[in-house]
Amino acid sequence: AGGSARIGEEIAYRAARKLNELDVKAYDRVARARALSGDTMGAVRALSSLVEKRPRSAEANRLVGYACMALGQYGPAAELFERVRLNRPFEPQSFLEEALALEALGRYSEAARNYEIVLARNFPRHLSEVRIVAGYHYARLLGGLLREGGLSGEAKASVSARQAALKGATNEQARTALQLSIHWNTDSTDIDLWVVEPEGERCYYSNKETKAGGKLFWDTTTGYGPELYRRTSKPAGGAASDVLIHYYGNNSPRWTVPTAVLYVRDLDVFGPEDAYTRRFSMRILPKSSAVLRLAKELP
């Protein structure tokens, strides 16, 4: 499948591996060609080669985990994020990323465990930021369980009480038209999330709140993120927002693989369609500074 374009990518991939087996871009290119041809597991196999070459690299495991999330392969992604968590239990992001994969798999109790750990443990870096994102995702998960109607009695009461507590802790759990977060795999790396709203105003680190109700919660200037944007109201006429990132280059002293971004998009958060609108995508970034468009979102 894939015709001549796929054949060309496969030939180029083999040639690139002979020159440099650690060329991440070669794995990424052939994985995208295979995925577009319908060969999802072939894409995962190509990307997994990077982890085989660097099995203990958190950067490599995260990058491939992000790619698996974008491909809808949540099982392999959960295994990769688990490996990161076991090797780097001092990073709250490792618990959060694993929770996202577990939730996508439908392993809700395990995802809840990770969210609870993030909310309870005192991590050394980016604690408040990760807790806020975890709180939103966790409250959304619990709301979905309640909405599906599979809980009753004591279990339902417990889940309802926990969701109410989460809403009270953040004070901003109202129904939201658009929620975006980004995560990245390298330390000492500054990535800024920008959202150009349909009204023309740009929400970014120097303009965190817009007239239309968009809000960027903070500016993370070092490793892993997350950054979070939310907008409560839908734009008039159903116009779309442009989502971009300003990437300032990989400044990590442990530069082993490129920086990659995991992009998480939710629509109608805490609304009736919330459970069906989450989307993941991944982007490998260049080594130098760049401004890149991630998506055009239509809440």
Side-chain angles (χ1 to χ4, degrees):
S4 58
R6 165 82 180 274
I7 292 170
E9 287 293 348
E10 295 287 352
I11 293 170
Y13 169 59
R14 283 155 177 73
R17 284 195 65 171
K18 287 182 180 178
L19 291 174
N20 180 7
E21 286 193 331
L22 297 178
D23 181 2
V24 178
K25 292 295 182 69
Y27 295 109
D28 180 56
R29 284 193 299 269
V30 78
R32 291 178 184 274
R34 291 176 180 180
L36 289 171
S37 302
D39 183 11
T40 303
M41 291 312 299
V44 173
R45 281 196 300 275
L47 291 163
S48 69
S49 299
L50 176 63
V51 176
E52 291 168 8
K53 298 296 179 184
R54 299 185 181 277
R56 294 187 62 83
S57 167
E59 293 89 346
N61 279 276
R62 278 191 165 114
L63 185 152
V64 179
Y66 295 169
C68 287
M69 295 288 278
L71 289 167
Q73 299 301 305
Y74 305 125
E79 293 182 23
L80 289 160
F81 295 143
E82 178 186 34
R83 183 181 299 182
V84 176
R85 172 177 60 82
L86 292 173
N87 286 322
R88 304 179 72 81
F90 49 87
E91 291 175 354
Q93 294 90 345
S94 63
F95 290 87
L96 177 58
E97 291 163 351
E98 185 186 19
L100 289 170
L102 291 168
E103 185 179 345
L105 274 173
R107 290 160 57 179
Y108 302 126
S109 61
E110 295 170 82
R113 172 206 64 199
N114 276 31
Y115 288 134
E116 291 284 7
I117 289 171
V118 170
L119 296 171
R121 186 177 294 177
N122 287 321
F123 292 94
R125 296 175 63 201
H126 303 314
L127 179 59
S128 63
E129 294 92 335
V130 178
R131 278 184 174 173
I132 289 173
V133 174
Y136 281 124
H137 289 323
Y138 190 19
R140 174 188 176 276
L141 183 158
L142 297 179
L145 293 176
L146 293 168
R147 188 168 53 249
E148 292 299 321
L151 301 175
S152 61
E154 186 178 342
K156 183 177 181 179
S158 177
V159 169
S160 297
R162 188 66 181 113
Q163 189 196 34
L166 288 167
K167 287 187 175 183
T170 58
N171 295 320
E172 294 193 45
Q173 299 274 4
R175 185 171 175 179
T176 299
L178 178 63
Q179 178 174 290
L180 312 172
S181 65
I182 58 170
H183 312 251
W184 55 95
N185 66 322
T186 54
D187 202 356
S188 302
T189 305
D190 184 6
I191 300 177
D192 291 335
L193 176 64
W194 296 357
V195 180
V196 182
E197 297 178 335
E199 297 81 3
E201 190 173 2
R202 182 176 63 174
C203 190
Y204 69 119
Y205 65 89
S206 291
N207 185 42
K208 292 188 175 70
E209 297 192 36
T210 67
K211 296 181 178 66
K215 179 177 179 180
L216 179 69
F217 280 62
W218 53 78
D219 177 25
T220 302
T221 59
T222 56
Y224 313 125
E227 291 201 358
L228 173 68
Y229 167 88
R230 303 182 93 231
R231 174 173 170 147
T232 55
S233 63
K234 291 186 177 182
S241 299
D242 277 312
V243 184
L244 306 97
I245 56 171
H246 190 171
Y247 168 60
Y248 292 94
N250 187 329
N251 301 309
S252 173
R254 299 193 311 123
W255 200 95
T256 56
V257 299
T259 298
V261 166
L262 175 67
Y263 172 67
V264 185
R265 183 269 272 153
D266 289 297
L267 303 180
D268 196 35
V269 179
F270 305 122
E273 298 301 319
D274 181 25
Y276 313 103
T277 58
R278 174 164 287 174
R279 180 170 64 84
F280 300 100
S281 59
M282 186 273 282
R283 183 79 176 265
I284 293 178
L285 305 180
K287 188 172 182 179
S288 59
S289 178
V291 176
L292 302 166
R293 182 179 178 185
L294 287 182
K296 196 173 186 70
E297 299 295 357
L298 187 65

